[in-house]
Amino acid sequence: KQSSASSGSTFPLPTFLLQDLSGLPGLAVLSYVVSDVDRSPSRARSSWLLLAPLLTPAVPLITSPPCCLCSEGAHRFQWIRNVVPEFGISSSHVKVISSPPEFYELLKAQIKAAKQRVVMASLYLGTGFLEQELVDCLEEMLDRSLQASGSSSDLRVSILLDFTRGSRGRKNSRTMLLPLLRRFPEQVRVSLFHTPNLRGLLRLLIPERFNETIGLQHIKVYLFDDNVILSGANLSDSYFTNRQDRYILLRDSPEIADFFTELVNAIGDVSLQLREDDTVQMMEGMVHPYQGDKITYCEMANKRVMEVINSARTRQEFLHAQTFHSSQGEDHCFSQQDLYASGDMKPKPDTWIYPLIQMKPFGIQIDEMVTETLLTEAERGARVYLTTGYFNLTQAYMDLILGTRAEYQILLASPEVNGFFGAKGVAGAIPAAYVYIERQFYNEVCCVGQQERVRLQEYFRNGWTFHAKGLWLYLAGSSLPCLTLIGSPNFGYRSVHRDLEAQVAIVTENRDLQHQLHQEQEQLYLRSGMVSPSTFEQPSRYVKLWVKLVTPLIKNFF
């Protein structure tokens, strides 16, 4: 079959092909995308992609014919729901946040207003005055909930951090949270994820800070009742003042909030639990991440996380069927307008949220596959704006950028706004290593004559650092983006292979929200300069010989 590239239609694989592929280990055949076929045989193009989360049972295809009540073909990215849950919401529930101070004030306001749950996942919690204010807000909120309900309260606080980063130094994330844990032991849970790859002799020999290169809990989600903030920002003072990141608030979105609550709890269940005496222990029945068997631990973690993803996907499919499908036994279809007018259906969504999870240590590679698919399917005339605070793309992403036909504008940090700029010791050479990686990629772009199609831009803002990451996709002929990726991944080796990551794909048909996303992109890119050969002749771009020699050996660790 053929379909227009603009429709992005997906078709189940033929039964005979499914049978042939079903014997392949770890392969879940989900869908293939048929691209536009030119009328001229000499220019015919047909591309297809198999999406396959590793180490998970195959997700069955929905082979029933589409109902006329479903908005099939409403957008070309519905193939993503073959692997993750799809949450349809109104664009009025989405707000783009632009600055660190606004992000910080929003966090405090949301904490103070929470009545049922606070769920916070971050790399770490800082130890300064602003971070202490956040902890004080949590304490006041918990106090009020106890006073309002008597001796017990249904309000729960769940915090997920990385063990190695959260334990760094004498005053650290753990010591910041211990007073809460001691005062409210029944309401507060602090989980510290420890990568299973840091174990044995390696764990004993690698010193503090350097042990963080092996693998981290890198997810950043901040959730208050049914409101969710998705970001790449950590809970530290610079992220509240002068470290530029991205932030999106999803208001009154209970299904999305439930999903991320379950996801954080699942990771928390396989993490070390902080106790009131500042020791840690695993939950009863759970395999220890670095003392227990590594394969058993990873399989257990995979099972817990995939249960969350698959159960949410099943729930959303059921809700979709309830909302859009006529009752059983009816052969006719009513118009959507009649059903909306009668009040029998929720308002028609114009925005869709897809959570994309990447946990390679557990064999979960959903974000990687969806991102590669988006880059693969971006057609000629489409524009992709990709940004990362740490430019260290995987080889697969680089090959797709150089080999596909869309236009790319890649925003990265200039050395002066790199988070490691001016750091002591070996870490101080990290910005130079990124310059070296950037120059190698730029040279490759020039070698294949793609410098007009693939452009690099360096972000600079005096007194600030740059940590923004994500992607905006503009379809061919459109002046506004219809899709953005926002969350924790940096598109680098660490994000794909070492760390726990999560982001969401937000697809919208609403012009107002598209304008918000476009304005967000423009504000970031306006503070940048185009990279050219003369860029690397500046004194700040000088890279010492030893850095050039070492970078290929260590680039997979930062």
Side-chain angles (χ1 to χ4, degrees):
K1 295 184 180 181
Q2 299 176 4
S3 75
S4 168
S6 63
S7 69
S9 300
T10 61
F11 303 96
L13 286 168
T15 304
F16 74 88
L17 186 54
L18 282 170
Q19 291 171 345
D20 289 344
L21 293 172
S22 61
L24 294 177
L27 181 62
V29 180
L30 296 167
S31 70
Y32 70 103
V33 179
V34 182
S35 300
D36 184 38
V37 178
D38 195 289
R39 297 297 180 187
S40 169
S42 64
R43 297 177 59 192
R45 179 174 69 93
S46 178
S47 64
W48 56 272
L49 183 70
L50 301 179
L51 301 177
L54 301 182
L55 303 179
T56 61
V59 180
L61 283 165
I62 303 174
T63 55
S64 57
C67 172
C68 67
L69 298 182
C70 299
S71 55
E72 301 294 340
H75 62 78
R76 67 173 63 191
F77 305 104
Q78 288 184 340
W79 54 267
I80 304 176
R81 72 181 180 194
N82 288 330
V83 281
V84 297
E86 175 187 71
F87 301 97
I89 63 173
S90 168
S91 57
S92 62
H93 293 185
V94 184
K95 181 181 180 183
V96 177
I97 310 300
S98 60
S99 71
E102 189 180 359
F103 169 59
Y104 180 61
E105 293 302 322
L106 179 63
L107 285 175
K108 291 196 295 182
Q110 289 291 316
I111 290 173
K112 292 175 182 177
K115 298 290 189 295
Q116 299 172 326
R117 59 184 170 187
V118 172
V119 179
M120 306 176 82
S122 185
L123 174 61
Y124 69 105
L125 171 69
T127 58
F129 173 77
L130 295 179
E131 297 92 322
Q132 186 59 55
E133 268 196 49
L134 280 183
V135 175
D136 292 343
C137 287
L138 287 168
E139 186 174 13
E140 291 170 14
M141 172 202 61
L142 288 163
D143 260 334
R144 284 197 308 271
S145 71
L146 280 180
Q147 292 171 8
S149 59
S151 59
S152 63
S153 170
D154 292 332
L155 176 64
R156 293 293 180 267
V157 175
S158 178
I159 299 174
L160 172 67
L161 305 173
D162 182 73
F163 177 86
T164 53
R165 182 62 183 89
S167 303
R168 185 203 293 181
R170 300 188 67 178
K171 186 177 183 182
N172 52 44
S173 304
R174 293 163 61 166
T175 59
M176 290 287 289
L177 294 169
L178 281 175
L180 279 184
L181 200 58
R182 289 165 180 161
R183 273 202 68 189
F184 308 99
E186 300 301 317
Q187 293 174 267
V188 177
R189 177 190 188 188
V190 179
S191 304
L192 302 168
F193 174 79
H194 190 294
T195 177
N197 293 326
L198 182 63
R199 54 175 49 233
L201 193 60
L202 185 67
R203 189 174 189 274
L204 294 174
L205 293 178
I206 299 184
E208 196 174 79
R209 293 179 67 97
F210 290 93
N211 57 9
E212 297 165 23
T213 63
I214 305 303
L216 297 167
Q217 191 304 112
H218 201 243
I219 296 170
K220 290 84 183 275
V221 174
Y222 309 110
L223 188 157
F224 314 91
D225 292 341
D226 293 337
N227 301 328
V228 183
I229 301 173
L230 297 157
S231 180
N234 293 302
L235 297 174
S236 182
D237 55 359
S238 63
Y239 294 91
F240 306 147
T241 54
N242 63 347
R243 187 156 172 76
Q244 184 63 58
D245 215 299
R246 297 180 65 208
Y247 336 83
I248 285 184
L249 169 65
L250 306 177
R251 292 178 293 217
D252 301 322
S253 303
E255 291 91 356
I256 300 172
D258 288 346
F259 172 83
F260 279 106
T261 297
E262 292 172 14
L263 178 67
V264 171
N265 285 340
I267 302 169
D269 289 348
V270 298
S271 299
L272 297 160
Q273 306 300 303
L274 184 63
R275 303 174 67 184
E276 297 169 39
D277 59 356
D278 198 22
T279 60
V280 293
Q281 67 176 21
M282 290 298 291
M283 291 175 58
E284 187 176 350
M286 293 294 177
V287 180
H288 200 281
Y290 62 86
Q291 293 177 352
D293 181 74
K294 180 179 176 180
I295 294 176
T296 304
Y297 172 81
C298 291
E299 288 176 346
M300 176 189 67
N302 173 284
K303 182 180 178 182
R304 287 288 290 113
V305 173
M306 289 308 301
E307 280 175 353
V308 172
I309 295 171
N310 290 332
S311 63
R313 183 167 170 266
T314 301
R315 281 198 308 270
Q316 290 309 114
E317 287 174 356
F318 178 73
L319 287 173
H320 175 84
Q322 274 194 325
T323 304
F324 289 100
H325 288 235
S326 55
S327 59
Q328 290 182 353
E330 293 182 353
D331 295 325
H332 60 282
C333 292
F334 301 100
S335 72
Q336 289 186 351
Q337 288 79 6
D338 290 341
L339 288 170
Y340 294 132
S342 69
D344 292 337
M345 297 177 66
K346 293 181 180 179
K348 184 180 179 182
D350 59 6
T351 301
W352 295 266
I353 311 296
Y354 301 95
L356 308 177
I357 312 303
Q358 183 75 11
M359 300 177 181
K360 187 67 174 288
F362 304 156
I364 299 171
Q365 298 169 250
I366 296 172
D367 177 64
E368 175 188 3
M369 290 181 296
V370 171
T371 301
E372 288 185 3
T373 306
L374 289 172
L375 299 182
T376 300
E377 294 299 316
E379 75 272 28
R380 187 187 304 276
R383 289 176 294 140
V384 177
Y385 289 78
L386 186 150
T387 180
T388 173
Y390 303 111
F391 183 75
N392 187 16
L393 301 179
T394 65
Q395 191 62 50
Y397 291 159
M398 287 192 289
D399 290 343
L400 285 170
I401 290 170
L402 292 174
T404 52
R405 300 175 301 174
E407 296 176 11
Y408 284 85
Q409 288 187 240
I410 302 173
L411 183 64
L412 48 105
S414 64
E416 296 83 358
V417 299
N418 187 293
F420 292 96
F421 186 74
K424 297 179 181 179
V426 177
I430 290 178
Y434 281 114
V435 169
Y436 184 59
I437 294 169
E438 174 190 350
R439 184 167 190 171
Q440 285 184 311
F441 180 73
Y442 181 76
N443 288 342
E444 194 169 349
V445 170
C446 294
C447 281
V448 295
Q450 297 292 317
Q451 56 267 40
E452 292 300 316
R453 187 181 65 84
V454 180
R455 301 184 179 185
L456 302 184
Q457 295 176 233
E458 287 187 353
Y459 181 95
F460 177 80
R461 189 174 182 182
N462 193 35
W464 283 60
T465 56
F466 184 70
H467 197 250
K469 59 205 71 169
L471 177 153
W472 300 262
L473 175 60
Y474 295 67
L475 296 179
S478 176
S479 61
L480 297 173
C482 63
L483 176 146
T484 190
L485 300 182
I486 180 170
S488 64
N490 277 299
F491 305 104
Y493 186 93
R494 287 202 58 147
S495 292
V496 171
H497 294 276
R498 295 188 179 277
D499 299 339
L500 305 191
E501 306 278 11
Q503 65 179 340
V504 296
I506 302 178
V507 178
T508 185
E509 295 177 338
N510 181 269
R511 298 283 291 182
D512 290 339
L513 180 53
Q514 289 178 354
H515 273 288
Q516 278 193 65
L517 296 172
H518 177 66
Q519 186 177 22
E520 177 198 31
Q521 177 270 118
E522 278 195 326
Q523 286 179 344
L524 292 173
Y525 278 72
L526 280 173
R527 296 185 179 275
S528 69
M530 198 69 68
V531 173
S532 68
S534 62
T535 301
F536 302 102
E537 297 173 4
Q538 300 174 23
S540 62
R541 302 306 191 278
Y542 174 72
V543 181
K544 296 178 180 178
L545 178 60
W546 74 267
V547 175
K548 294 179 181 180
L549 295 174
V550 170
T551 297
L553 304 176
I554 64 171
K555 64 180 294 185
N556 292 344
F557 292 91
F558 61 85

